[in-house]
Amino acid sequence: MTTDDATASTEPRRRPERRHLPLWQESLVLLVVAVVLAVVLKTFFVQAFYIPSESMEPGLVKDDRILVQKVSHWRGSPQRGDVVVFEDPGGWLPTDEVPGPGNPVTEVLTRVGLMPSGGHLVKRVIGVAGDTIVCCDDNGDLQVNGVAIDESGYVRDDPDSPCNGPMPASKCNWTAGPVPVGHVFVMGDNRANSADSSQKLCLPDVTDCVPGREFVPDDLVVGKVFALVWPLSRFGGVTGAGSTFDEVPAGTS
């Protein structure tokens, strides 16, 4: 072996230099990755929405931005007390609350989950499959499966109503249920201003009403609201039901 050969064998081999992508290509790759991650996040985990009306006051105010988590509904149905976002079952959302066509940029950002979505409703689950809801007892409280529930922790106090479950025409005297399997009965926290399940009940003197439209199918429920993210002055969690429904027994099967 010559001296040159020995020297060559002891020198480390130089690795070929990596070719770096041009800046515009790197930026494009990062953008595509960000969009894919946003779509996956929106589809399976978390989605942003805004509150379309005053129906969930005092906890949630019109135009608040909220986050909805979908994980808790992967293996089960919504639970009593959950504040949920759901698609319009048909005719629930007033015309002035249905979002009109936006510009192409906002449309794309909304579809991939980078902007809050509209066209959905936000309500609190009061009854699940098998439950019977009665309005109301002598104290003005709703009863679920015969148990009065204290909703003072989240319902807006309405001095003009003697109960926590008003609806047009029949006020504080109605019964709903049993809730069908695969459905929920929902109400807004601002009971005097909420297009919810109680408002969709068929009144005794109405002959052209279709029973059952007051219940929301589980598969229309997008997820459970878990955070208020805008405005920043009210950033935080969403008022839950606490122990409100703890004493309520299971409904009829």
Side-chain angles (χ1 to χ4, degrees):
M1 179 183 296
T2 64
T3 305
D4 290 340
D5 291 339
T7 303
S9 64
T10 56
E11 288 182 355
R13 293 184 179 180
R14 292 184 179 179
R15 294 182 180 177
E17 293 185 4
R18 285 186 178 179
R19 282 187 63 188
H20 290 285
L21 292 174
L23 180 61
W24 70 270
Q25 289 185 357
E26 286 190 0
S27 300
L28 182 60
V29 170
L30 290 174
L31 178 60
V32 170
V33 171
V35 169
V36 170
L37 288 176
V39 171
V40 171
L41 193 67
K42 171 191 171 185
T43 303
F44 298 105
F45 298 99
V46 177
Q47 187 171 352
F49 291 89
Y50 64 82
I51 301 296
S53 70
E54 298 86 5
S55 68
M56 288 302 292
E57 292 181 355
L60 296 172
V61 180
K62 184 177 181 179
D63 293 329
D64 279 354
R65 269 50 175 175
I66 55 175
L67 290 181
V68 171
Q69 58 93 349
K70 305 180 180 185
V71 177
S72 61
H73 293 166
W74 283 357
R75 296 184 178 179
S77 301
Q79 301 298 308
R80 302 186 195 104
D82 287 353
V83 177
V84 297
V85 169
F86 57 96
E87 298 176 28
D88 189 347
W92 282 44
L93 203 61
T95 305
D96 59 350
E97 293 177 17
V98 178
N103 63 63
V105 175
T106 58
E107 283 283 324
V108 171
L109 292 177
T110 300
R111 286 184 179 276
V112 301
L114 297 178
M115 284 192 68
S117 301
H120 291 68
L121 295 100
V122 185
K123 307 292 179 188
R124 190 179 298 273
V125 176
I126 301 299
V128 296
D131 287 350
T132 297
I133 302 95
V134 175
C135 177
C136 282
D137 67 6
D138 293 339
N139 295 321
D141 294 327
L142 289 177
Q143 293 179 313
V144 180
N145 300 337
V147 175
I149 54 175
D150 179 7
E151 300 183 281
S152 58
Y154 53 80
V155 164
R156 172 181 280 276
D157 182 39
D158 181 9
D160 295 326
S161 176
C163 70
N164 283 331
M167 61 172 287
S170 65
K171 296 298 181 183
C172 298
N173 182 23
W174 52 264
T175 298
V179 179
V181 174
H183 293 72
V184 290
F185 185 92
V186 298
M187 298 183 73
D189 290 350
N190 184 4
R191 300 283 161 81
N193 186 11
S194 177
D196 55 30
S197 290
S198 69
Q199 192 185 56
K200 302 300 178 182
L201 286 165
C202 292
L203 301 175
D205 56 346
V206 177
T207 58
D208 59 348
C209 180
V210 180
R213 64 176 187 160
E214 65 270 28
F215 305 116
V216 177
D218 287 351
D219 57 10
L220 292 185
V221 177
V222 177
K224 176 182 176 180
V225 180
F226 77 97
L228 169 63
V229 295
W230 189 265
L232 290 177
S233 60
R234 295 173 44 240
F235 181 91
V238 175
T239 304
S243 59
T244 300
F245 295 89
D246 286 357
E247 302 302 319
V248 176
T252 57
S253 57

